[in-house]
Amino acid sequence: MRTNDEIIKLLKELSDERGYSISELARRVDMAKSAVSRYFNGTREFPLNRVNEFAKALGATPEYILGVNANDDITNIYNKLDTNRKKKVYNFANQQLNEQNNVIVFPKTNKSEVSVYGAVSAGTGEYLLDNTPELVPYEGVVPEHDYAVIVNGVSMRPLFEDKQIIFVKKTFEARSGQVVIAYYDNQAYVKKYVNDEKGARFVSLNKSYDDMPIDETHETQIIGVVVL
């Protein structure tokens, strides 16, 4: 069975062969563009229970995408997987069994309310105020977090869309490559933190925006890491 990286590499190759953009592929598998982007950029693992949709859209078989040989003993493969991947295989197999038995399983939509503390900029800057949070409706799984904020702007596309709610763990430190919430010259941003041979800086995923250098000429403070 292919690793997650191998599956994503294959999906990219099949998409390129057909001239599909991420937007077009997302439309064909009936998923949000941001979700497919996360699979392709490695911030989320490919959902094995959606392999049928991707296979159909890309003119392949689920077995080919997963790298499973029809002659393989599935039990032998399953026993080699870690706990998290075993769970994914079980969910996928259960879905296949339901389809075989003509059982229609309707997805459950998790609806809840989350406390949002303000907006962070994916553009030109926002003031994140220390005031009473606003309770707003949210559809989806709410991860463990310390606070939530709303993205304002498009500089972090395709990872985050404008007005998307994101969840944050409080911290004043981050590893290079993590997406953070940070104050930069007294305004709050959501950016990718990078620290390499070129120096420390905050980076936008949308290349239309310039990097923001972290040096003595700017007041900076990381205040959280985004839960991805």
Side-chain angles (χ1 to χ4, degrees), residues 173-175 178-182 189-193 202 222-226:
E173 298 179 349
R175 299 188 306 274
Q178 289 186 304
V179 178
V180 302
I181 305 299
Y189 292 84
V190 54
K191 298 290 178 184
K192 183 178 181 179
Y193 170 66
F202 295 124
I222 292 172
I223 58 173
V225 172
V226 178

Side-chain angles (χ1 to χ4, degrees), residues 184-205:
Y184 192 88
D185 292 338
N186 297 315
Q187 295 190 71
Y189 292 84
V190 54
K191 298 290 178 184
K192 183 178 181 179
Y193 170 66
V194 175
N195 190 357
D196 55 21
E197 66 277 0
K198 296 180 181 178
R201 58 200 184 278
F202 295 124
V203 176
S204 300
L205 299 185

Side-chain angles (χ1 to χ4, degrees), residues 24-160:
E24 177 61 17
L25 180 59
R27 184 187 70 80
R28 288 175 177 269
V29 298
D30 195 25
M31 294 183 69
K33 175 186 173 184
S34 58
V36 177
S37 295
R38 288 170 189 162
Y39 306 145
F40 275 32
N41 63 29
T43 57
R44 289 278 179 87
E45 285 200 353
F46 177 74
L48 297 181
N49 63 327
R50 299 299 298 270
V51 68
N52 279 357
E53 290 95 323
F54 280 83
K56 182 178 179 181
L58 295 170
T61 65
E63 291 80 9
Y64 175 65
I65 290 177
L66 296 177
V68 176
N69 190 303
N71 296 322
D72 286 340
D73 181 357
I74 189 65
T75 303
N76 184 48
I77 296 173
Y78 179 83
N79 289 335
K80 294 178 181 178
L81 299 175
D82 59 35
T83 302
N84 187 46
R85 289 185 178 275
K86 283 181 178 179
K87 183 178 180 181
K88 292 180 179 180
V89 170
Y90 171 80
N91 291 337
F92 173 67
N94 194 49
Q95 180 193 35
Q96 292 296 300
L97 181 60
N98 286 334
E99 290 180 4
Q100 177 178 292
N101 295 332
N102 295 318
V103 175
I104 300 176
V105 179
F106 292 97
K108 294 181 180 179
T109 302
N110 295 318
K111 294 184 178 181
S112 57
E113 292 185 323
V114 295
S115 297
V116 175
Y117 281 78
V120 290
S121 177
T124 56
E126 287 284 346
Y127 291 99
L128 186 62
L129 301 178
D130 258 341
N131 54 12
T132 304
E134 178 185 1
L135 204 60
V136 299
Y138 180 81
E139 288 192 8
V141 177
V142 178
E144 183 178 346
H145 66 285
D146 293 318
Y147 62 93
V149 291
I150 293 178
V151 175
N152 192 6
V154 298
S155 76
M156 289 301 285
R157 283 180 175 170
L159 185 58
F160 302 132

Side-chain angles (χ1 to χ4, degrees), residues 204-217:
S204 300
L205 299 185
N206 184 338
K207 298 309 178 185
S208 298
Y209 293 79
D210 294 333
D211 292 351
M212 300 163 60
I214 301 173
D215 54 33
E216 65 278 359
T217 64

